[in-house]
Amino acid sequence: MANKPVYNIPIGPIHPALKEPILFTFDIQGEVIKGVDFAPGKTHRAIEWMGMRRNPVQITHLCDRICGICGVSHTLAFSRAVEQIAEIEVPERAHYVRTIIAEFERIQSHLLWAGVAAHELGFDTLFHLAWRVREEAMDVIEYLTGNRVNYGIVQVGGVRRDFTDDQFPRIRQALDTYEGLVGKLVTLFLEDTSIKLRCMSTGVLTETDALELCTVGPTARASGLKLDVRADSPYAAYGDVGVTPVLPDVYSDGIHGDVYDRIVVRLFEVVESIRIVRECMDQMPAGPVLWETKYAKILATCKKAEGEAIGRVEAPRGECFHYVRMNRSEAPEAWKVKASTYSNQMSWLKILQGEQIADIPIIVASIDPCMSCTDRVSVIRDGRPDVMTGEALHRLSVEKTRRLQA
Amino acid sequence: MIAMLTAAVLGCIGITVYGLLFGLVLQGVDRKCAARMQARYGPPLHQPFIDIAKLLCKDNIIPKNAVKSVFNAAPIIALAASITILLYLPVGNLMPVLGGWGDVILVLYLLTVPGLAMVAGGLASGSPYATVGSQREMVTMIAYELPLAIAVIAMAWRLNAAGVADPFSLVTLAQTPVWSVVGIPGIIGMLLLMIAITWVTPAELSRVPCDTPEAETELCGGLLVEYSGRNLALFTLSGAVKTVAMATLAVVLFLPWNITWFVPLAGAAGIIADLVFFAVKVLLVVFFSVSLIRVGMARFRINHLVTFYWGYITLIGFAGMILLVLDAVLGMGVVA
């Protein structure tokens, strides 16, 4: 075994195992992974650059387009940051509308992931099934917001559309459908022999590693970290309904931090989301959904605002973090988006080590990566991709801080 | 002599056309059935024909660091070998064209040739994905050959024990169902062997869960990754013909009955009835051992695949063989 040659396999930037561009380089011995490295930055779209040239009302809709799946999470995180700086009070009802949409987004995102995971395992039947039941959540989102993706519902100061009482039966119908399907999904995903065979003890991330690598969301929870922004620092209506972070021991015996546990966490988070939406519908207060209906006034308030704030939201993949700094001008002075994958991606180096080539797709997919959310920078020097060293990054950040303080 | 040669050549041409057409139809049926089971509409039945036509129109790209001769020869060898298998297999009540020149052992050897050609082509294409795919294909072949050989040899041995002359000949196998010579333990043994062959079929044809050498999501097509255009069309056709061959072998071994054995139909009517019945049997085999299995499972990891075939399927095969031997030794069925 020891004298087997080590050879190099590139996976990416475009590869069927990856749903978005990123470049992995693997050192392989036989079928076993000996070394991993990856280079993100292949799908950088200069979102922040565009945002710094627009006003907060426009940026909200730009945020919708950071990610095709967690549109609400980014808009909500950004709006929360701006609302704190400009001291805008969001009406109570708007918080509930935001919560309901955010939870439907979680349901559709987790089901989408479940389908992708099944496809990565070569189990296409389950992929088609998962995506078919996902349509119900998409339909409800379209029914409520008018759009399947890029919902455009969250607005600085509230939401752009209210729910009427006659829309509730449709929501309840969707929730009932999902409640009826949960048992079936659990059987198909968690009791299937071939899935157990491929996912158990695969891509293990220990609790210590999960903590040290600052992982977030389902990836962290599957390793046993009780982390959930919805529970730790409640926003929107989560303080009223209460959220318990889902750990894999709700289903499996103990916490292993493997791919299987990540499936468990995501499936049971769907159950939790159904409960949250139900409670939100029951408790929803009456009243307006927007702090101010006149855009001119929102814009004027934002223009007068000064200060900095962060908005944190528990996106389906984990914590989504927006930092905004405003300084009495139309566009924000600084805007930083940190998507959940940014926090989770370093765990790849740990969980891919020593695994087999066959498990690369499912392990890479198991943290539910979203590269277009994550890619904030791409270094090109002399027309070729380049890498920033630690010192260079430090120097740049010192320069930027000075510039902001000047 | 001349007449015999002409008949053989005509037979070969006929079998080739039949193998290609029926293989593609089988692929179409398989795709449609799988799609329906996955709650999809699925492509039309003639989609494989469209695909082949499309591939034949496309550029045939040869990678710069490929070994050109081997890379180009592999698909031709694969297709030729697949068609050759058909020449030794009976179709309906029509006896094999080259039946007198080869037996089931030859068929077993010929079945490995398309796989070996793919391995050679994959290694010659100079891509790391294809190299990994080729290694996996070799391991897969080693894993499934043993249970396949066990099943075939056990059945031929049982026929021999029953005093049937020339038991390895496909003509004999097609005309003497092993079921008819065995007693109760033998029937159980035959059922076990049938299970083994059902599972060997997807491995032989590189379909899910045994598409590990191609593994679309991890190796983007594995040993076929560099193939395109005409060469890929040839490999696709070879796969289609091999499906017919493998299913025919299963039919000959386990379901050799013909309509005319039960209903007296003379002449053309009998031939046609047998051919239709044969097509139905092949379709059933493909449905159960290809479509149904691939819809219901995830892909094996290569080590799981080896454990599965060397461990479980070989054990099942051995159990079946031992039961057939017991059957003969205890004199339960027909014994010479």
Side-chain angles (χ1 to χ4, degrees), chain A residues 10 17 31 121 125 198 358, chain B residues 40 129 136 217-218 295 299 301:
Chain A
E31 289 262 338
L121 288 169
T125 312
R198 293 286 307 269
Chain B
R40 289 186 291 126
Y129 296 124
R136 288 183 177 181
T217 46
E218 53 208 70
V295 163
R299 181 183 307 119
R301 209 190 283 163

Side-chain angles (χ1 to χ4, degrees), chain A residues 7-11 15-17 31 119-125 128 132 194 197-198 202 356-359 361, chain B residues 37-40 128-129 132 135-136 208 216-220 294-304:
Chain A
Y7 55 98
N8 194 280
I9 287 194
I11 293 212
H15 186 282
E31 289 262 338
H119 174 67
E120 303 290 14
L121 288 169
F123 203 159
D124 279 355
T125 312
H128 291 296
R132 191 158 82 139
S194 47
L197 198 67
R198 293 286 307 269
T202 303
Q356 293 205 0
I357 301 178
D359 294 325
Chain B
M37 283 188 275
Q38 292 175 337
R40 289 186 291 126
Y129 296 124
V132 177
Q135 291 167 357
R136 288 183 177 181
V208 175
E216 181 231 333
T217 46
E218 53 208 70
L219 299 180
C220 8
R294 89 180 169 101
V295 163
M297 286 197 70
R299 181 183 307 119
F300 279 134
R301 209 190 283 163
I302 190 73
N303 55 339
H304 293 154

Side-chain angles (χ1 to χ4, degrees), chain A residues 1-22:
Chain A
M1 279 304 275
N3 51 14
K4 257 193 185 175
V6 174
Y7 55 98
N8 194 280
I9 287 194
I11 293 212
I14 307 296
H15 186 282
L18 311 164
K19 301 305 162 224
E20 281 170 293
I22 177 173

Side-chain angles (χ1 to χ4, degrees), chain A residues 127-368:
Chain A
F127 156 64
H128 291 296
L129 191 101
W131 279 37
R132 191 158 82 139
V133 299
R134 168 178 178 255
E135 279 306 300
E136 183 73 7
M138 302 300 284
D139 286 348
V140 170
I141 291 172
E142 188 182 2
Y143 177 67
L144 295 175
T145 68
N147 300 304
R148 269 169 67 88
V149 282
N150 301 343
Y151 321 119
I153 185 139
V154 178
Q155 166 67 279
V156 174
V159 289
R160 289 175 61 219
R161 277 171 187 237
D162 193 6
F163 298 165
T164 51
D165 281 345
D166 59 321
Q167 285 179 318
F168 281 16
R170 178 70 187 87
I171 305 178
R172 288 221 166 79
Q173 182 203 325
L175 295 176
D176 289 342
T177 315
Y178 280 122
E179 246 158 22
L181 274 170
V182 165
K184 198 174 176 188
L185 285 174
V186 166
T187 319
L188 288 174
F189 275 96
L190 301 178
E191 286 169 21
D192 185 271
T193 322
S194 47
I195 289 193
K196 277 186 179 173
L197 198 67
R198 293 286 307 269
C199 295
M200 279 185 164
S201 318
T202 303
V204 176
L205 184 68
T206 60
E207 190 172 347
T208 330
D209 285 339
L211 196 62
E212 281 172 0
L213 291 166
C214 301
T215 54
V216 293
T219 314
R221 290 195 281 278
S223 295
L225 296 180
K226 230 174 157 87
L227 284 176
D228 194 322
V229 183
R230 295 176 295 170
D232 302 340
S233 67
Y235 53 94
Y238 290 113
D240 298 349
V241 293
V243 180
T244 331
V246 178
L247 295 183
D249 52 7
V250 292
Y251 180 81
S252 45
D253 50 340
I255 294 159
H256 310 287
D258 50 9
V259 173
Y260 187 78
D261 277 0
R262 282 168 220 144
I263 306 181
V264 172
V265 167
R266 292 206 172 86
L267 282 185
F268 283 88
E269 276 187 13
V270 172
V271 182
E272 179 78 353
S273 294
I274 298 172
R275 183 191 65 83
I276 294 172
V277 176
R278 277 202 200 284
E279 284 194 22
C280 281
M281 287 198 303
D282 294 340
Q283 298 177 14
M284 215 164 160
V289 289
L290 205 53
W291 166 74
E292 174 57 60
T293 44
K294 291 189 194 73
Y295 280 88
K297 196 175 168 202
I298 300 176
L299 282 175
T301 315
C302 289
K303 205 173 171 181
K304 270 185 265 166
E306 188 182 357
E308 57 181 359
I310 52 168
R312 290 165 73 207
V313 159
E314 180 75 14
R317 291 114 193 255
E319 181 196 53
C320 165
F321 177 104
H322 281 230
Y323 166 80
V324 183
R325 186 187 166 110
M326 314 249 286
N327 193 14
R328 293 181 176 281
S329 72
E330 203 154 304
E333 196 174 29
W335 175 36
K336 175 81 202 144
V337 182
K338 198 196 89 180
S340 6
T341 308
Y342 185 83
S343 312
N344 285 334
Q345 60 186 357
M346 287 313 280
S347 65
W348 273 331
L349 300 183
K350 269 261 179 329
I351 62 183
L352 283 166
Q353 198 68 243
E355 297 289 350
Q356 293 205 0
I357 301 178
D359 294 325
I360 293 173
I362 183 64
I363 294 179
V364 168
S366 73
I367 69 161
D368 200 357

